[in-house]
Amino acid sequence: MINASDLKKGDVAKIDGAPHIVENVSVQKPSARGSSSLYKLRFRNLLTKRKVDLVFRGDDALDEADFERRPVQY
């Protein structure tokens, strides 16, 4: 499990059973006391290539995806 506050660009998480890669991270810190930071994340589904925008609190947990990066030469 990965906390939303630990995600950065290029990380891979599993959302709704499909692997998604983080494309963009935006952090909003509300001015009210006691409220937690909001993390607006843009994901791209690695299977269908669709973009997904989601908002999480810092302590929300996401599943890690089984994902392997390999060097490729074209």
Side-chain angles (χ1 to χ4, degrees):
M1 300 295 269
I2 304 172
N3 285 339
S5 60
D6 296 334
L7 286 174
K8 59 185 182 221
K9 187 175 180 179
D11 287 345
V12 179
K14 189 182 288 188
I15 300 173
D16 296 331
H20 287 71
I21 191 165
V22 178
E23 286 191 341
N24 193 5
V25 178
S26 175
V27 181
Q28 281 188 335
K29 295 187 179 186
S31 61
R33 294 182 189 173
S35 60
S36 61
S37 299
L38 297 176
Y39 292 86
K40 293 184 177 185
L41 301 167
R42 172 167 282 174
F43 292 97
R44 183 171 297 272
N45 188 326
L46 294 175
L47 302 176
T48 62
K49 307 297 185 208
R50 288 188 176 184
K51 291 182 185 178
V52 178
D53 291 326
L54 298 172
V55 178
F56 296 100
R57 293 183 190 264
D59 57 349
D60 289 344
L62 298 167
D63 291 330
E64 291 187 56
D66 293 332
F67 188 76
E68 181 179 335
R69 295 179 192 261
R70 290 187 253 166
V72 179
Q73 184 176 357
Y74 292 97

